[in-house]
Amino acid sequence: MQGDVRGGGVVGTFFHAPRQGELEVLQDTLICVDEDGVISGVLPPSSHDHERVLNGLGDRVLRLPEGRYGMPGLVDLHVHAPQYPQLGLALDAPLEVWLQKYTFPLEAKYQELDFARQRYSVLVEDLLAGGTTTALYFATQDRAATELLADLCIAAGQRALIGKVAMDDPVACPPGYRDRSAEAAVADTRAVIDYIRGHKDNSEGRVLPVVTPRFVPSCTDAALAGLGQLAQECGCHVQTHCSESDWAHRYALERFGISDAAALDRFGLLGRRSVLAHANFLSDADMDLLVERGAAVAHCPLSNIYFANSVFPLRQALDKQLHVGLGTDISGGPSASMLQACQTSVQVSRMLEEGVDPALPAERRGRGDGRIDLVTAFHLATAGGGIALDLPIGVLAPGYRFDAVVIDTTARDGGIRLFGQTDPMAVFEKIVYGANRSNVAAVWVDGNCRVNRQ
Ligand code: GUN
Ligand code: FE
């Protein structure tokens, strides 16, 4: 099994979840990929074109061996690229302490570009090897290191959306790690946008720039207003943190007298391409506002256990048709795996529904509803991420980019043991709960092969 499939195809059994709660199994199906890496046909064996197209493509078709299954690449909607060295560490303090004590000092070290290059290279390689074909990255405050991350993603062929982190408020940000002024924060953000858009090796636009105010507490009003204006002017994606913890949520209410989400909207930062990380404490009205704007939430269930003081009400958000995808929040969450994010989103949704305090009677212990199923979690980690980003990814259908992963359920070092199980739903569950890096046999982004383990 090898190679790029642009101008060719892959035949085998695939899973995808274009809609919440619905797993589609594409059994023995031929997926055709055009010269640009876009899916041009999805032909089940019953299709009268299947044999003809298969024969026509000849050796440009790759056949998935027995025991291997294809699925859309995973979309991680929230990654702090510079925090990767801290993965699994420093999980003992509340958000506002964690930032000052551990995280800002680590991120500041990326001003040293050799330090940055070594760590960023490992991150991008690891995420691709784990099946993350698209990542929405917070880089650091530093412009040069952010541009370096873009260089590395472009070279590695990962789909990446990358923001220079704007953080200019001297009250909240340490002197060695902040923008000199609101004007500098906006000017450097603009420079990174121009750099990524004008990059000579990025003509296909696989890497995109993102306007990235860290969160309201890090930014002055002038920076937030300037970045809002810039986002509108450039038509860029926007990312930030919103109402993540009790402290962060209260902070906005005290500073503006309105919620975090409403304040972001006032600064022009809420639009169709905005992604708000966490957002645990959104009110009903905040959710309605996000829906109206077409903005999305990056739900980071594992990180929320450590830093958010609560479980994001995912079921409620989905019932309101709010766009939601999943994120690892490296390193707020101590795992880089998007399959782990799927698992945790299901687990915490159960806890929200049923409650956790055994001292309370069952009928008062939880919310009474709130659970999501594994297929919905997988939908959010793939198609939902694509919708949040307004990009044609996460679904195996004509017109979507061929960003895909092959899982080898037979890998000796892997985490899956099927014991002869062939029921597609059981195989799917075993994959999402068990697959590890050794199970990831191949990864394509835009039809280009980026991981290939025989
Ligand atoms: N809020 C502001 N910065 C951060 C960060 O780096 N991680 C998380 N989880 N929340 C934040
Ligand atoms: Fe975060």
Side-chain angles (χ1 to χ4, degrees):
M1 225 182 74
Q2 23 214 328
D4 297 346
V5 294
R6 286 188 176 202
V10 185
V11 66
T13 295
F14 298 83
F15 299 112
H16 70 158
R19 289 167 298 282
Q20 290 168 32
E22 276 179 54
L23 187 70
E24 277 185 18
V25 183
L26 309 171
Q27 201 101 38
D28 301 319
T29 294
L30 171 62
I31 297 186
C32 303
V33 181
D34 74 12
E35 296 291 347
D36 297 322
V38 176
I39 296 172
S40 54
V42 174
L43 306 174
S46 58
S47 145
H48 59 278
D49 285 339
H50 183 98
E51 277 309 307
R52 185 182 56 78
V53 177
L54 191 61
N55 293 334
L57 289 172
D59 62 5
R60 283 173 293 148
V61 174
L62 226 141
R63 191 172 289 276
L64 300 185
E66 182 95 16
R68 297 195 183 196
Y69 297 85
M71 57 187 215
L74 298 158
V75 180
D76 191 336
L77 267 198
H78 190 52
V79 183
H80 292 273
Q83 296 175 20
Y84 195 40
Q86 190 169 267
L87 193 81
L89 304 176
L91 295 163
D92 60 342
L95 178 63
E96 61 278 21
V97 176
W98 175 83
L99 286 171
Q100 303 290 342
K101 184 173 168 189
Y102 303 112
T103 302
F104 292 160
L106 171 59
E107 292 190 8
K109 291 185 187 164
Y110 282 69
Q111 287 159 21
E112 175 58 56
L113 294 183
D114 282 340
F115 180 96
R117 183 187 304 279
Q118 284 168 12
R119 284 150 187 82
Y120 279 159
S121 305
V122 175
L123 170 70
V124 173
E125 186 184 329
D126 283 356
L127 291 190
L128 274 170
T132 298
T133 48
T134 297
L136 175 54
Y137 286 118
F138 276 61
T140 61
Q141 177 274 327
D142 185 61
R143 172 182 157 190
T146 303
E147 293 175 353
L148 174 63
L149 176 61
D151 292 344
L152 295 171
C153 291
I154 290 167
Q158 188 182 37
R159 191 180 305 289
L161 299 96
I162 299 174
K164 181 213 105 65
V165 180
M167 40 192 292
D168 70 316
D169 191 337
V171 177
C173 307
Y177 189 56
R178 68 169 177 246
D179 293 298
R180 292 187 313 285
S181 62
E183 294 71 33
V186 176
D188 280 0
T189 300
R190 186 190 291 275
V192 173
I193 293 169
D194 292 344
Y195 179 84
I196 291 174
R197 287 185 168 171
H199 199 292
K200 69 177 179 17
D201 299 324
N202 191 32
S203 54
E204 294 187 15
R206 201 152 31 248
V207 173
L208 296 167
V210 186
V211 169
T212 307
R214 183 169 204 120
F215 66 157
V216 158
S218 297
C219 297
T220 61
D221 286 14
L224 292 167
L227 292 169
Q229 211 163 36
L230 181 63
Q232 316 258 334
E233 194 187 304
C234 298
C236 273
H237 287 82
V238 174
Q239 62 181 341
T240 188
H241 298 86
C242 177
S243 291
E244 176 177 358
S245 67
D246 282 314
W247 168 78
H249 180 57
R250 224 174 15 238
Y251 175 94
L253 290 171
E254 282 166 13
R255 174 161 152 195
F256 298 114
I258 53 175
S259 71
D260 214 347
L264 292 170
D265 190 49
R266 198 175 278 184
F267 287 113
L269 289 160
L270 278 197
R272 174 65 187 92
R273 292 177 159 194
S274 301
V275 178
L276 309 186
H278 308 285
N280 285 47
F281 291 92
L282 290 182
S283 67
D284 240 28
D286 289 334
M287 282 197 187
D288 293 340
L289 174 64
L290 264 61
V291 171
E292 204 176 309
R293 297 287 181 263
V297 168
H299 173 39
C300 306
L302 186 57
S303 169
N304 289 347
I305 294 171
Y306 294 92
F307 294 107
N309 315 118
S310 63
V311 172
F312 174 67
L314 175 56
R315 180 78 268 151
Q316 184 192 340
L318 295 180
D319 288 347
K320 280 183 176 286
Q321 317 297 324
L322 182 55
H323 297 159
V324 181
L326 297 185
T328 57
D329 192 28
I330 293 167
S331 66
S335 166
S337 162
M338 280 298 292
L339 294 180
Q340 159 104 61
C342 291
Q343 298 160 30
T344 313
S345 68
V346 170
Q347 291 155 352
V348 298
S349 79
R350 295 283 187 90
M351 289 176 158
L352 185 64
E353 177 172 303
E354 298 194 3
V356 294
D357 184 353
L360 295 174
E363 61 280 8
R364 285 204 291 120
R365 204 176 292 143
R367 281 198 164 201
D369 65 1
R371 71 173 56 195
I372 61 148
D373 58 82
L374 195 66
V375 173
T376 295
F378 182 72
H379 162 83
L380 298 179
T382 51
I387 293 167
L389 294 170
D390 198 19
L391 292 175
I393 55 174
V395 176
L396 299 173
Y400 285 80
R401 318 295 310 188
F402 189 67
D403 291 5
V405 172
V406 173
I407 300 294
D408 178 3
T409 59
T410 67
R412 280 296 298 250
D413 297 339
I416 303 170
R417 297 291 176 250
L418 289 183
F419 294 110
Q421 186 68 258
T422 55
D423 169 60
M425 191 50 146
V427 172
F428 166 78
E429 289 177 327
K430 285 276 193 183
I431 287 174
V432 179
Y433 275 112
N436 61 27
R437 182 173 169 146
S438 298
N439 294 110
V440 178
V443 177
W444 292 277
V445 183
D446 273 338
N448 294 319
C449 185
R450 299 306 178 189
V451 173
N452 184 17
R453 294 145 159 259
Q454 292 303 319

